[in-house]
Amino acid sequence: MIPLLAMLLQNGDLLIADFEGKDYGAWKATGAAFGAGPAPGTLPNQMAVEGFLGKGLVNSYLGGDAATGTLTSPPFKIERAAINFLIGGGEHPGETCLNLLLDGKVIRTSTGRDAERLEAESWDVAEFLGRTVALEIVDTHKGGWGHVNVDQIVQSDKALKSGPAARDVEITGRYLHLPVRTKAPKRRMKVLLGGTVVREFEIELADEKPEFWAFLEVGAWKGKTLRLEAPGAGLEAVTQGDAIRGEEPAQRPAFHFTSRRGWLNDPNGLVYHKGEWHLYYQHNPYGWNWGNMHWGHAVSKDLLRWEELPIALYPPRFGDWAFSGSAVVDAANTSGWKSGDDDVLVGAFTSTGRGECVIYSNDRGRTWKEYEGNPVVKHRGRDPKLIWHAPTKRWVMAVYNEDEGKRRIAFHSSPDLKAWTFHSFLDGYFECPDLFELPLDGDRSKTKWVLYAADGKFQLGAFDGQVFTPEGPKQTVWHGHFYAAQTYDNAPDGRRIQIGWAQNANFPGLPFNQQMTIPVELTLRSTDEGPRVFVWPVKEVETLRGGGASGRSSGPRRPGQTPFASTDTERGDFRFKLETGPVERFEFDVRGVPVVYDVAKAELSCKGKSAPLKPIKGEIQLRILVDRGSIEVFGNEGRVALSVGGILPKRTFALTAVASKDYSATIEHDEFK
Ligand code: FRU
């Protein structure tokens, strides 16, 4: 590969501007967008600007996205066949652009591609040799994301390869294999069928050795020719086949959900239907980091063993991403969308380009159709959670709203999932609401409503279908790597089952990133502090036992004696009842990661994350679930839970205690298959 700098400064090139000075020199600025001189790279509140040369560049974000202006060069003579430059920013022709002017008329123009990264571009200007021209950098774009980044403008005898590289591929397999190298320049990739863009996304396309192969589902186009477009050399390496490419990594979590490739965050559309637990999820299929939001899809019969299905929601166009949402079974067909024998599933998600949108599926959640009246709610907000409110016979949408600069949950209702009426706000909650009812101590005649937000904080209260009335303080059960949880619609036997995103459980070096937490069942119990929510791993976890070593032991332990030592435990379920009185602290070595219960502080901690946990009657109970990429600790039957994720370095599990005299311990462990 030729380094960019060498490509840009070839022998005989004439530099027009490199924007390395304190001011613009002889260039003239109008308006506020360009400030008094070049920007020193990325500006405050701006996403990282990359791909410019040296220290400075033209960056019209200087005045914020709203400011406008122009920056015009002094006249110069065209002395070479090409003008080469770097450009990034908004793709708004005529509004965020670099223009070449001849006698005041625009004869060449270019924009960025809606990315902060500057890409090399070239104009063929041979026909204007000897003419006097000027350059004009423009930002007249108002409203929304739109500014222009320009750097390193040179006259050259040699045009840079301009425009996107393209490749035509006749489709014979289910998947195109795309080479990815995290931190390679982000490229905008387009896939066209007969001239129409059918997919468009950003990808860190590997020009050299890929770190992993992402896949693009193309089975629907077998026998057709797709045109792939992306700058750089990465397209050359694209292959195709009926299976995804690359070895299955040995470190992939065994009973926690991870995506085969790419990034995941929030669980979406959790719904039980015809024996299947559906797990849709925020997904970047083409990269290890967040981006290109799609809804991935997996199903399971037991919440632990997942089968990945084709992507459920593709963004309709670049920039209109499918953000979080939910799904329900419309058993009474209130929507009228049922077309077969099965109940119709209805989902709601945030289209970042449109608003809250409704979709439905008549093929067991495999494919979804959009309601033609979308969006059904338009506001500054996201993450619609649908529920059926039986007393008022209405659907309710609890959705995050930030109109008027507030962070709050909005409640809307609908008879048919199409026409929605706004009712009320509840202030002080951020993102991904969940709303559900729990029986107190199992008594279905005594229930409380729960309003849950992304950070795991929730509120008990009353809900009449329109207004949520809080009762008591905000509570938290989950601590550590846990975010944007959601509970299942239509779970059998009145179970309330929740899955969260183990946020920041990073898997460096693997072809996927992030995982879901273990599914838990929620219950509401009376405690001496009032009604409290408890979380407990679903009973299906017990089906994983019996594959490896197991043991039960009970009785007094001496100070200095190791209460529990196991040398080789990749995954399993460990349960402890420990007398705390004579003990300062319990220290677990969970696959090389210390988990500590500090008796004086009444606190459980791991990797800088902690959860308060008071002994009850001189004893604490801990249940630890260990997988290849996570530790989850449940304290006192699920009064608190602590989630910590990431690759675990060792295959060991042990417990030591710092104690002054004998204490009693009951220990049960079951390694998993
Ligand atoms: C929460 C969240 C949601 C949004 C989604 C985008 O993690 O920011 O609010 O819908 O992720 O991926």
Side-chain angles (χ1 to χ4, degrees):
M1 253 196 5
I2 315 162
L4 191 58
L5 194 68
M7 269 170 51
L8 287 164
L9 294 173
Q10 300 163 76
N11 269 350
D13 278 1
L14 292 176
L15 182 70
I16 300 173
D18 61 5
F19 304 107
E20 291 302 304
K22 269 211 211 81
D23 55 33
Y24 290 122
W27 289 59
K28 293 264 171 320
T30 65
F34 295 95
T42 306
L43 294 165
N45 303 323
Q46 189 176 26
M47 312 249 293
V49 177
E50 297 169 329
F52 58 98
L53 293 181
K55 292 201 176 108
L57 77 155
V58 175
N59 178 350
S60 73
Y61 195 77
L62 251 185
D65 260 340
T68 59
T70 61
L71 183 64
T72 309
S73 76
F76 64 94
K77 209 196 284 166
I78 297 216
E79 296 174 58
R80 301 282 186 276
I83 295 180
N84 298 336
F85 51 91
L86 299 171
I87 188 162
E91 191 166 3
H92 303 291
E95 296 186 350
T96 54
C97 52
L98 173 67
N99 294 331
L100 184 65
L101 305 177
L102 176 65
D103 300 331
K105 282 210 199 79
V106 176
I107 53 168
R108 295 286 182 271
T109 185
S110 286
T111 68
R113 294 166 198 267
D114 284 344
E116 293 294 5
R117 164 165 277 277
L118 285 78
E119 302 278 357
E121 279 223 32
S122 214
W123 292 326
D124 179 349
V125 290
E127 64 190 282
F128 304 111
L129 276 168
R131 307 292 298 271
T132 297
V133 293
L135 287 161
E136 179 191 41
I137 306 177
V138 177
D139 179 358
T140 55
H141 184 74
K142 288 194 190 131
W145 199 89
H147 49 272
V148 60
N149 304 332
V150 175
D151 199 16
Q152 198 69 17
I153 310 174
V154 299
Q155 296 204 51
S156 178
D157 283 329
K158 217 169 149 212
L160 297 173
K161 197 161 100 180
S162 81
R167 204 183 135 188
D168 290 326
V169 181
E170 194 192 323
I171 301 304
T172 55
R174 281 180 65 191
Y175 304 113
L176 284 183
H177 307 131
L178 310 176
V180 178
R181 170 163 282 274
T182 303
K183 298 217 171 77
K186 257 197 195 142
R187 305 296 194 185
R188 179 81 80 85
M189 181 158 173
K190 291 186 187 172
V191 180
L192 298 97
L193 177 68
T196 304
V197 175
V198 289
R199 299 282 180 255
E200 190 173 355
F201 49 86
E202 281 189 329
I203 180 166
E204 290 151 308
L205 212 50
D207 290 345
E208 296 158 67
K209 206 172 157 288
E211 275 168 0
F212 68 91
W213 297 88
F215 61 89
L216 176 71
E217 295 170 352
V218 292
W221 296 303
K222 263 190 198 167
K224 306 230 159 77
T225 296
L226 291 179
R227 163 160 289 222
L228 313 181
E229 287 183 1
L235 285 186
E236 289 312 309
V238 173
T239 57
Q240 59 178 314
D242 283 329
I244 68 176
R245 186 168 170 181
E247 303 272 299
E248 179 57 11
Q251 299 102 317
R252 183 183 293 283
F255 60 100
H256 286 81
F257 180 76
T258 51
S259 180
R260 285 173 294 178
R261 293 287 182 274
W263 161 274
L264 71 75
N265 53 293
D266 315 352
N268 293 154
L270 300 189
V271 61
Y272 178 84
H273 179 57
K274 296 205 80 180
E276 289 180 324
W277 300 94
H278 289 272
L279 169 57
Y280 301 91
Y281 59 93
Q282 288 290 283
H283 184 34
N284 179 2
Y286 316 117
W288 193 84
N289 288 303
W290 188 90
N292 301 313
M293 281 295 125
H294 293 55
W295 274 30
H297 187 199
V299 289
S300 172
K301 295 209 164 7
D302 61 6
L303 291 158
L304 300 168
R305 300 160 180 95
W306 295 97
E307 180 196 350
E308 272 204 75
L309 297 177
I311 283 168
L313 288 188
Y314 281 94
R317 59 183 173 77
F318 188 87
D320 186 356
W321 308 117
F323 270 22
S324 283
S326 57
V328 290
V329 179
D330 180 12
N333 195 22
T334 61
S335 61
W337 285 326
K338 175 172 164 167
S339 65
D341 292 338
D342 294 339
D343 288 340
V344 59
L345 296 178
V346 178
F349 73 101
T350 303
S351 143
T352 60
R354 293 172 290 159
E356 311 312 342
C357 288
V358 172
I359 48 177
Y360 57 95
S361 169
N362 278 300
D363 62 356
R364 295 164 55 234
R366 270 54 181 178
T367 61
W368 295 82
K369 288 204 170 63
E370 283 234 11
Y371 167 44
E372 70 278 4
N374 277 336
V376 294
V377 172
K378 245 180 118 60
H379 62 157
R380 277 188 64 182
R382 55 184 179 270
D383 311 334
K385 172 69 181 180
L386 301 178
I387 64 160
W388 174 246
H389 188 256
T392 54
K393 298 200 173 54
R394 287 281 186 280
W395 297 100
V396 170
M397 180 194 289
V399 60
Y400 176 61
N401 175 285
E402 51 188 28
D403 285 336
E404 300 161 28
K406 291 195 174 147
R407 290 184 163 189
R408 57 194 179 179
I409 306 304
F411 299 93
H412 302 253
S413 79
S414 169
D416 58 3
L417 293 152
K418 299 172 185 166
W420 291 89
T421 307
F422 166 76
H423 297 293
S424 66
F425 289 123
L426 183 69
D427 283 5
Y429 287 87
F430 182 57
E431 299 190 328
C432 303
D434 197 0
L435 177 65
F436 50 89
E437 202 175 6
L438 285 177
L440 183 61
D441 301 317
D443 181 349
R444 299 211 168 264
S445 68
K446 281 197 213 140
T447 64
K448 295 215 174 283
W449 283 85
V450 185
L451 181 78
Y452 218 97
D455 60 0
K457 294 216 168 56
F458 61 91
Q459 176 76 66
L460 299 181
F463 182 63
D464 64 2
Q466 303 193 346
V467 175
F468 187 93
T469 310
E471 291 168 12
K474 276 190 188 176
Q475 302 184 28
T476 314
V477 174
W478 277 101
H479 300 261
H481 294 162
F482 183 82
Y483 200 74
Q486 196 176 100
T487 61
Y488 270 90
D489 179 69
N490 197 41
D493 308 320
R495 296 170 82 189
R496 180 55 56 185
I497 291 171
Q498 181 190 53
I499 297 180
W501 161 36
Q503 185 184 35
N504 294 331
N506 293 325
F507 293 95
L510 298 186
F512 62 89
N513 192 15
Q514 312 290 301
Q515 74 167 31
M516 295 300 174
T517 59
I518 193 77
V520 290
E521 188 155 343
L522 272 53
T523 50
L524 183 64
R525 304 190 201 173
S526 303
T527 72
D528 51 11
E529 295 171 314
R532 288 291 180 268
V533 172
F534 284 65
V535 297
W536 199 240
V538 291
K539 61 178 189 294
E540 287 82 349
V541 167
E542 281 147 42
T543 66
L544 299 171
R545 294 181 187 164
S550 69
R552 312 270 179 270
S553 75
S554 196
R557 311 284 151 137
R558 302 251 133 77
Q561 192 187 53
T562 301
F564 183 78
S566 155
T567 47
D568 188 2
T569 298
E570 198 191 39
R571 54 191 190 269
D573 184 350
F574 301 80
R575 300 173 299 283
F576 303 86
K577 274 188 198 163
L578 303 165
E579 187 190 347
T580 50
V583 180
E584 208 175 289
R585 60 177 198 278
F586 294 103
E587 293 176 359
F588 297 86
D589 162 16
V590 185
R591 296 201 51 180
V593 176
V595 175
V596 173
Y597 180 71
D598 184 313
V599 177
K601 283 197 199 154
E603 185 186 82
L604 188 63
S605 62
C606 178
K607 274 194 161 176
K609 307 281 176 192
S610 63
L613 180 66
K614 278 192 221 135
I616 299 177
K617 295 188 185 130
E619 185 179 275
I620 52 152
Q621 293 185 8
L622 297 174
R623 179 175 181 189
I624 305 183
L625 286 182
V626 194
D627 198 349
R628 296 186 180 121
S630 61
I631 302 169
E632 286 157 325
V633 190
F634 298 85
N636 291 350
E637 297 182 346
R639 178 69 188 83
V640 295
L642 178 64
S643 152
V644 173
I647 297 172
L648 302 178
K650 292 189 187 156
R651 291 175 61 109
T652 51
F653 192 111
L655 166 62
T656 54
V658 180
S660 56
K661 44 185 170 114
D662 283 11
Y663 60 95
S664 74
T666 302
I667 300 174
E668 303 181 343
H669 77 278
D670 294 276
E671 283 179 24
F672 289 157
K673 288 172 218 170

